[in-house]
Amino acid sequence: MSKDVILDKYARLYEIPNQLALLGHEVECFCLSYQSHENGVWDESTNKKKLKWHSKSYKGIKKVNIVSYPFKLLSNIQKLKPDIIISASDIPHIILGAWVAKKLNIPFVADLYDNFEAYGQAKIPLIKTLFHRALNQAKIITTTSQSLANKIQNDHPNVKNIFAMPSVIDQNIFHVGNKVEARQYLGLPLRVPLIGTAGGLTKMKGIHELFDAWEIIKKENPECYLVLAGPTELETPLPQDDRVIYLGLLAHHEVAKLFQALDIGVMCIPNDEFGKYCFPQKAYEMLACHLNVVSSAVGDMTYLLEDDQLFMNSHELAIKSLDRLNNLTNHNIDVSTWEMSVGQLNHKFNALFF
C-alpha cells in the first residue's frame, strides 16, 4: 500500500487492532517488514487503551536470517499468553499466524483485505495449499467485501463465521464540502461540468475504459472537463486533450478536495480475480463527499450502487455519465465507521471465546 502501517496509522491493518484496544482488549501487534523499515517497538498505550507494535526488518545480507523469524515470533507470543491470534496482510502472514495459533492451541482469526490468491506470491509452490489449510483452521474469517466472503464460504464450508467487514474511511477528511471552494483550492474551472477520478491510472486498474469513454463524452458535452489524479504508466498515456486536467499525485486530504469538486466520480474496476473480490475504499470516499458515482458493474459495487450507476463497458460509462450530468441526483448511502465495524467483530469474539 506504500504506507507504513505503524507510523502512518493506515487503514484496516492499523484500525482493527486500534479499535479492539479501545474496546478494552490488550493488543500487541507483530509486523514483519518486506521493505527494510526500522526495527523497533512503538507503545501507543494510554489511559484509554493498551496497544503495542513490534516491527522486525531483515536488511541487506541479514535477509537470510528471516527463516528464524517464525520461531522468534512463536517464542514472543508464547510469553504473552494471548486469548486470540489475528493474522492479516497477505498469504505468508495468514499461514504464520495459523501456525503459531496451532502450536499454542489458541483460537485463530484471519482477516482478508483482498483476494490474496490474486497476488503474485500465490504462485510460490505449495503456498496456496498452506493458505487454504490455514483458513480451514480459522474460527472467524473477515473479508473486505461480501463477494470475497461468498467465495471464502464456498471454498471453506466448515468455517462457520465468515463475514464482510469493508474498509471504511476517515470521515473527518472525507465529507460534504463546498464545491466552489474545493475547485478554487485545486485550481480547477469553477463553472463547468467536471468528471474524474483519483487512484492508479493504469491498465491493470481498468482506467482505459474511462479514457475510451472520454472520447464520447467530450463530443457530446463540449463544456465538460476530465480531471485525473494518481500514478500513471508509459503504456497507458493520458488523453491528449485541452480539456483533460492532470493533478499529479495528491495528498490524502487533497483527494477529498477533488471528490468535493467533481460532478461525477468514476470507478473503473477490472473484472479479474482481484477486482471481483475487492471493495474499493474509493467508493466510500466518494460517497461520503456526496459525489455522484458511476462504477464498473463488478463485485460489491453491484450490491452497493443502483443500476443507473453501473456500467459494463466504456460506451455505457459514457452514456451513464452524460445522463447523470443532466440529472445530478445523489444516491446517499450511510458509510460505516471503524468503531462500528470492529464493534461487530468484537461481538463475535465475545460470543465465541469469552
Side-chain angles (χ1 to χ4, degrees):
M1 295 185 292
S2 72
K3 299 284 186 179
D4 188 302
V5 172
I6 301 172
L7 300 183
D8 293 328
K9 300 183 178 181
Y10 187 72
R12 71 191 292 124
L13 294 182
Y14 176 84
E15 285 295 348
I16 291 175
N18 181 58
Q19 293 298 329
L20 287 172
L22 289 170
L23 287 168
H25 298 284
E26 295 184 28
V27 183
E28 295 223 15
C29 306
F30 294 85
C31 301
L32 174 62
S33 171
Y34 299 156
Q35 299 177 4
S36 299
H37 292 102
E38 292 299 320
N39 296 327
V41 177
W42 287 261
D43 192 341
E44 294 187 17
S45 300
T46 66
N47 60 345
K48 294 183 179 180
K49 66 181 183 182
K50 292 185 178 180
L51 174 61
K52 186 181 290 187
W53 297 85
H54 304 258
S55 177
K56 184 63 179 175
S57 176
Y58 294 89
K59 301 179 181 179
I61 194 171
K62 292 184 178 180
K63 285 185 178 181
V64 297
N65 296 326
I66 199 170
V67 295
S68 67
Y69 178 76
F71 304 100
K72 292 179 180 178
L73 179 65
L74 175 64
S75 177
N76 288 330
I77 292 178
Q78 189 171 25
K79 294 172 186 175
L80 294 172
K81 298 180 179 179
D83 297 298
I84 306 168
I85 288 178
I86 307 173
S87 196
S89 179
D90 58 14
I91 291 178
H93 280 84
I94 298 295
I95 294 170
L96 183 56
W99 177 77
V100 171
K102 189 173 183 178
K103 285 286 186 181
L104 300 180
N105 195 28
I106 297 170
F108 172 63
V109 175
D111 176 61
L112 310 180
Y113 72 68
D114 274 329
N115 176 25
F116 293 153
E117 292 181 80
Y119 285 24
Q121 60 190 201
K123 297 177 182 178
I124 298 172
L126 296 178
I127 199 167
K128 286 175 67 173
T129 298
L130 296 174
F131 176 55
H132 285 288
R133 286 180 183 173
L135 293 182
N136 281 332
Q137 182 186 324
K139 299 297 183 184
I140 297 174
I141 299 175
T142 56
T143 69
T144 192
S145 69
Q146 187 58 51
S147 302
L148 184 55
N150 295 343
K151 177 185 186 301
I152 298 299
Q153 187 67 75
N154 184 65
D155 293 346
H156 302 275
N158 292 329
V159 181
K160 302 304 179 185
N161 291 281
I162 299 173
F163 69 97
M165 193 171 74
S167 294
V168 293
I169 60 170
D170 186 345
Q171 294 184 42
N172 292 318
I173 297 176
F174 293 91
H175 54 78
V176 180
N178 183 289
K179 182 175 291 189
V180 172
E181 290 178 0
R183 291 185 176 193
Q184 288 174 330
Y185 178 88
L186 294 171
L188 298 174
L190 299 183
R191 306 296 177 189
V192 298
L194 301 181
I195 294 175
T197 194
L201 306 177
T202 64
K203 184 176 181 179
M204 186 180 76
K205 297 291 186 179
I207 198 64
H208 56 281
E209 289 197 308
L210 175 56
F211 293 173
D212 291 343
W214 173 244
E215 297 303 313
I216 300 172
I217 294 168
K218 71 180 184 181
K219 294 174 183 176
E220 295 294 324
N221 190 324
E223 294 186 341
C224 186
Y225 279 69
L226 175 64
V227 185
L228 304 167
T232 62
E233 62 183 3
L234 292 175
E235 309 92 272
T236 312
L238 304 184
Q240 298 302 303
D241 193 299
D242 291 341
R243 287 189 283 140
V244 175
I245 300 173
Y246 176 56
L247 297 175
L249 301 179
L250 297 179
H252 201 48
H253 71 279
E254 292 175 325
V255 174
K257 289 290 187 184
L258 174 59
F259 294 161
Q260 293 166 358
L262 295 175
D263 294 299
I264 304 291
V266 179
M267 292 192 301
C268 295
I269 306 169
N271 190 20
D272 57 20
E273 287 303 300
F274 177 82
K276 287 188 292 187
Y277 301 110
C278 73
F279 188 101
Q281 194 166 312
K282 183 162 51 181
Y284 276 160
E285 292 173 349
M286 288 182 173
L287 291 167
C289 296
H290 284 195
L291 177 59
N292 281 267
V293 175
V294 291
S295 169
S296 305
V298 174
D300 269 30
M301 295 304 99
T302 61
Y303 302 125
L304 184 69
L305 303 176
E306 303 290 337
D307 287 346
D308 64 349
Q309 297 176 276
L310 299 170
F311 61 85
M312 297 292 292
N313 51 53
S314 57
H315 181 75
E316 282 193 8
L317 167 55
I319 298 303
K320 294 193 174 185
S321 297
L322 289 164
D323 286 345
R324 295 192 71 77
L325 280 175
N326 294 325
N327 180 26
L328 291 174
T329 302
N330 288 308
H331 293 279
N332 292 334
I333 295 171
D334 290 333
V335 178
S336 184
T337 64
W338 278 119
E339 183 179 6
M340 295 166 60
S341 294
V342 179
Q344 182 185 10
L345 176 61
N346 186 60
H347 178 74
K348 289 188 177 289
F349 285 173
N350 291 333
L352 286 175
F353 306 137
F354 303 119

